[in-house]
Amino acid sequence: MFDVGLEARERAITIAVVRKGTDPEVVREHMDELGLLLDTAGADVVASLYQERDKPDVASAIGKGKVEEVKALVEEHDVQMVVFDDDLSPTQTRNLEEELKVKVLDRSGVILDIFASRARTIEARTQVELAQMEYMLPRLTRMWTHLSKQFGGIGTKGPGETQIETDRRILRNRIQRLREKLDDIEVNRAVQRKGRESIPRFALIGYTNAGKSSLMHALTKAEIHIEDRLFATLDTTVRAIDLPNGKHVLLSDTVGFIRKLPPQLVASFRSTLSETLEADVLIHVADVSHRHVKDHVAIVEEMIASLGVHDTPVILVFNKIDAVEDRHLLDDIGMEYPGCVFISATRSINLGRLLADMQAVLESLSVQRTLRIPYDRMKDVSTVYDELEVLERLDGDESVTLIVKVPSDKLLLFSNTYAPYIQNNTSTNVH
Ligand SMILES: Nc1nc2c(ncn2[C@@H]2O[C@H](COP(=O)(O)OP(=O)(O)OP(=O)(O)O)[C@@H](O)[C@H]2O)c(=O)[nH]1
Ligand SMILES: [Mg+2]
């Protein structure tokens, strides 16, 4: 696995290039978040600056004059790296490193580094490595010494080829192999999911550090990793829980989102996210004690839409109400997001209400069907009782008529399983 190069407690300068007239508060928030990311990666921010421009300078993002200024700061504070909040082109990175004589990274590079150091399972490690390779491919000029070390000279300089071309080929081959490995993992996951098809699935989603894993723990008592750091969770955990009506459902906890998440990561984390993408109901957890909670909600909504999830019902949960002193804030949020639930995962406040809402959403997703099963197939009657909620039963002369509730997403499976017994009735939503 690659390490972009962050080592424990390095010193960094952060820089944002923003459009003229950008609200300084917005810039500050982005920089604070970049600072948190760096803290997680193991670096302290010793200076932070931003520059207003119509657009970033093609060669150096910030332009010659500013480069000089940064260079002076680098020397003054003895920093090991300069980190930009937005993505840099490979050329900009190279030019800046030449001028500043220290490592130059962008937010994506930092996020990738954090993911790399936190990935534990084979799946997460493979996904991170793939994302890193894809991130590096166009940036090879800086990396080639690192790369050839990593690969122990495999395919070293061939006749007529430059080192970089060779390294590119190594990277492309590696990317290909990682993709194949991920395809295999995905097939396995699909097989696992198949066995659980008839159990409704809820997925926790949300901004990183919102308290998803804490909520998972509060609801299931699962021993999972919780930490006041960004990206504590990089894998998907699935646990069963019972709703108040005794119904068994599955709940998954997964990786969190953040603004400007590198697209390579989102793409390669698809198999981890597949549990979320295919859930019947999403539980969107937001940290209501965070100053920018509304932005976080919007960013997560955009991410989910960009992953192709549009029709899945979402329960919006505002967590950490115990950390909010201003009750007006909660009123304001309640007005803006009707139907949301306020909870505290760590103090177990209002979790009963959340479970009741989960149950209500699930029930609203169900449709009613009528089955008529002849007496000589009584075995199937008991299967129906095992698999579905029976609302009514009529014992006739030759057959049993059952009115059952079918979760809408299980209709296809239901129809295939019980085709000979299904009576013509129009589907009605059961509330
Ligand atoms: N005050 C307060 N803190 C909470 C609450 N829920 C979670 N936290 C804290 O918030 C921090 C992040 O919690 P996690 O559960 O790890 O958050 P997450 O959403 O899983 O974060 P990632 O996995 O990093 O995306 C931890 O320090 C928790 O103790 C809450 O209800 N109140
Ligand atoms: Mg977590």
Side-chain angles (χ1 to χ4, degrees):
M1 174 122 356
F2 279 109
D3 179 353
V4 175
L6 297 189
E7 266 146 31
R9 299 341 294 175
E10 288 181 76
R11 294 151 67 81
I13 291 176
T14 54
I15 303 180
V17 181
V18 299
R19 267 211 200 95
K20 284 206 173 96
T22 306
D23 179 358
E25 167 65 15
V26 171
V27 183
R28 188 158 54 235
E29 158 61 6
H30 288 208
M31 296 305 264
D32 284 353
E33 192 174 83
L34 182 60
L36 271 180
L37 283 165
L38 280 163
D39 178 47
T40 303
D44 298 315
V45 177
V46 293
S48 183
L49 48 127
Y50 77 97
Q51 187 191 29
E52 288 191 330
R53 297 181 72 97
D54 286 331
K55 57 177 196 268
D57 180 68
V58 180
S60 68
I62 45 179
K64 268 206 165 71
K66 201 76 174 175
V67 171
E68 288 306 316
E69 200 183 306
V70 175
K71 199 170 172 177
L73 278 173
V74 164
E75 281 160 18
E76 183 190 338
H77 293 284
D78 186 25
V79 307
Q80 288 83 39
M81 73 183 119
V82 173
V83 186
F84 283 73
D85 193 50
D86 281 289
D87 278 352
L88 294 171
S89 73
T91 317
Q92 288 168 334
T93 310
R94 192 175 51 237
N95 291 341
L96 284 162
E97 284 190 338
E98 266 165 25
E99 284 294 325
L100 300 172
K101 309 270 187 282
V102 289
K103 204 157 44 181
V104 173
L105 292 178
D106 53 24
R107 179 188 268 250
S108 293
V110 177
I111 295 176
L112 282 165
D113 193 82
I114 295 172
F115 271 64
S117 62
R118 303 202 147 214
R120 293 284 171 269
T121 60
I122 290 177
E123 180 174 6
R125 294 168 87 108
T126 311
Q127 292 174 134
V128 176
E129 194 180 347
L130 175 61
Q132 283 186 305
M133 298 274 173
E134 286 181 334
Y135 174 80
M136 268 181 218
L137 196 55
R139 294 171 173 78
L140 260 187
T141 39
R142 186 162 76 88
M143 295 308 215
W144 74 265
T145 40
H146 193 108
L147 245 191
S148 45
K149 244 191 280 165
Q150 184 76 24
F151 284 99
I154 302 167
T156 43
K157 205 181 277 179
E161 277 181 326
T162 66
Q163 181 67 47
I164 285 172
E165 276 162 1
T166 312
D167 286 344
R168 274 208 182 106
R169 210 187 54 224
I170 299 171
L171 264 195
R172 284 207 190 89
N173 287 342
R174 182 84 185 131
I175 286 174
Q176 182 57 31
R177 275 207 303 280
L178 288 168
R179 286 214 177 109
E180 284 162 12
K181 196 163 153 190
L182 279 178
D183 284 346
D184 288 348
I185 293 174
E186 179 55 28
V187 169
N188 268 333
R189 265 197 182 276
V191 170
Q192 282 173 16
R193 270 202 300 276
K194 194 122 193 92
R196 306 192 297 242
E197 226 164 35
S198 53
I199 311 176
R201 282 172 294 159
F202 288 82
L204 294 163
I205 55 156
Y207 214 73
T208 179
N209 211 42
K212 299 174 294 298
S213 301
S214 303
L215 180 56
M216 177 85 167
H217 175 74
L219 293 176
T220 67
K221 299 290 167 256
E223 288 306 319
I224 46 176
H225 188 69
I226 295 165
E227 208 185 337
D228 194 12
R229 278 284 171 93
L230 306 183
F231 301 113
T233 308
L234 288 191
D235 303 301
T236 298
T237 309
V238 184
R239 289 284 184 283
I241 54 166
D242 290 336
L243 295 180
N245 61 2
K247 177 127 187 112
H248 239 35
V249 299
L250 295 174
L251 182 65
S252 65
D253 174 35
T254 193
V255 59
F257 297 130
I258 198 164
R259 68 167 64 81
K260 304 177 193 169
L261 202 55
Q264 300 92 339
L265 262 185
V266 180
S268 69
F269 265 72
R270 270 201 99 85
S271 75
T272 291
L273 289 170
S274 56
E275 206 70 48
T276 299
L277 305 179
E278 293 173 20
D280 302 303
V281 182
L282 298 178
I283 302 177
H284 177 172
V285 184
D287 173 359
V288 76
S289 72
H290 196 288
R291 270 189 311 150
H292 296 280
V293 61
K294 291 181 188 176
D295 286 347
H296 292 182
V297 169
I299 289 161
V300 171
E301 284 173 348
E302 274 167 31
M303 290 289 312
I304 286 297
S306 75
L307 285 163
V309 179
H310 299 290
D311 301 325
T312 313
V314 179
I315 302 175
L316 183 55
V317 176
F318 287 100
N319 185 32
K320 309 196 191 180
I321 52 165
D322 58 294
V324 174
E325 272 164 22
D326 179 7
R327 295 284 126 181
H328 296 301
L329 177 76
L330 300 187
D331 293 342
D332 168 47
I333 300 257
M335 299 273 280
E336 190 163 339
Y337 303 94
C340 69
V341 190
F342 292 101
I343 64 155
S344 166
T346 47
R347 304 269 180 97
S348 287
I349 301 172
N350 225 12
L351 299 186
R353 163 74 201 282
L354 172 60
L355 287 167
D357 279 14
M358 288 165 67
Q359 185 175 307
V361 171
L362 203 58
E363 283 172 354
S364 74
L365 282 178
S366 299
V367 294
Q368 206 168 302
R369 284 286 185 275
T370 305
L371 296 174
R372 190 167 297 149
I373 306 177
Y375 278 123
D376 59 354
R377 309 302 294 266
M378 280 309 276
K379 201 162 61 56
D380 289 342
V381 172
S382 59
T383 313
V384 171
Y385 273 94
D386 286 344
E387 291 184 349
L388 296 163
E389 190 177 338
V390 179
L391 298 172
E392 251 183 86
R393 173 179 178 143
L394 271 167
D395 289 278
D397 289 336
E398 289 160 19
S399 59
V400 183
T401 302
L402 300 171
I403 297 177
V404 294
K405 215 156 93 174
V406 189
S408 52
D409 59 305
K410 303 293 177 319
L411 260 181
L412 186 62
L413 183 70
F414 170 84
S415 310
N416 289 337
T417 314
Y418 298 105
Y421 310 136
I422 299 174
Q423 302 301 296
N424 273 345
N425 60 349
T426 48
S427 73
T428 37
N429 260 306
V430 182
H431 287 283

